[in-house]
Amino acid sequence: VIAPFDRVKIMYQTDATRLFSWRDVSSTMRRIFEQEGHRGLFRGHGATLLRVVPYSAISYTVFDPYKASLRQNVPGFGDVQVRFVAGAGAGATATMLTYPLDMLRARMAAHCGREAAYDGYTHAVSQIARTESVLALWSGLRPTLLGIVPYSGISFSVFGTLK
């Protein structure tokens, strides 16, 4: 439901010449639809869908071991602190392992029509690896971690506390 709006948001985030207004958002969505059809509104969303399952699986798989390790190695931490740090670690771990899909989503969504640099995920990965390096698949990871660490820590600690 929100994927078309997410695509337009990324286009605004990556193009400093775009000035935001609701009218411009509407015309951008209309232009995407006219140039690329219905599927164009979801360009880059496949990577989001491919990322969600492994991201969640990794987060929930490593949370309990991180929590157990913290309880053993940092006995002064209370339950909320343990859940926060374990949750932050779980989010960071999942983000690092699935980040290339997040980066691909942004790059695929950022461009419209003929200006699109990639015609699919396989082409995008090979092009990025060849022209920029394999490490470019993790470009932007650090600022992403700055956001996910507190978010994931708060999410896990609040959920555990309310539960």
Side-chain angles (χ1 to χ4, degrees):
V1 172
I2 64 164
F5 296 104
D6 199 37
R7 168 141 193 233
V8 172
K9 173 194 77 168
I10 291 169
M11 293 173 79
Y12 278 88
Q13 288 174 326
T14 59
D15 184 354
T17 64
R18 288 183 188 267
L19 299 175
F20 179 82
S21 77
W22 288 110
R23 187 177 333 174
D24 287 342
V25 167
S26 178
S27 75
T28 297
M29 291 180 85
R30 197 170 24 261
R31 183 171 49 83
I32 291 169
F33 184 79
E34 290 168 359
Q35 290 180 357
E36 301 177 41
H38 180 262
R39 292 183 66 187
L41 293 170
F42 296 88
R43 183 173 172 80
H45 188 61
T48 300
L49 297 176
L50 289 172
R51 185 185 137 275
V52 166
V53 171
Y55 178 89
S56 296
I58 293 164
S59 291
Y60 291 110
T61 298
V62 301
F63 175 70
D64 285 331
Y66 285 177
K67 200 167 64 170
S69 177
L70 284 164
R71 285 206 169 109
Q72 182 178 17
N73 295 310
V74 190
F77 271 13
D79 286 343
V80 174
Q81 290 168 309
V82 166
R83 285 192 297 269
F84 177 83
V85 174
T93 301
T95 298
M96 287 187 282
L97 294 173
T98 61
Y99 186 76
L101 292 168
D102 195 29
M103 188 274 301
L104 286 172
R105 172 189 67 109
R107 287 204 186 185
M108 296 292 281
H111 301 289
C112 190
R114 290 183 182 88
E115 67 185 49
Y118 315 112
D119 60 4
Y121 297 112
T122 305
H123 178 249
V125 169
S126 66
Q127 183 82 357
I128 292 165
R130 188 174 66 250
T131 60
E132 299 174 49
S133 87
V134 172
L135 292 178
L137 294 170
W138 281 269
S139 63
L141 175 63
R142 283 185 281 184
T144 301
L145 287 172
L146 285 175
I148 199 61
V149 165
Y151 171 83
S152 190
I154 291 168
S155 178
F156 273 96
S157 63
V158 168
F159 177 78
T161 301
L162 294 175
K163 186 175 132 189

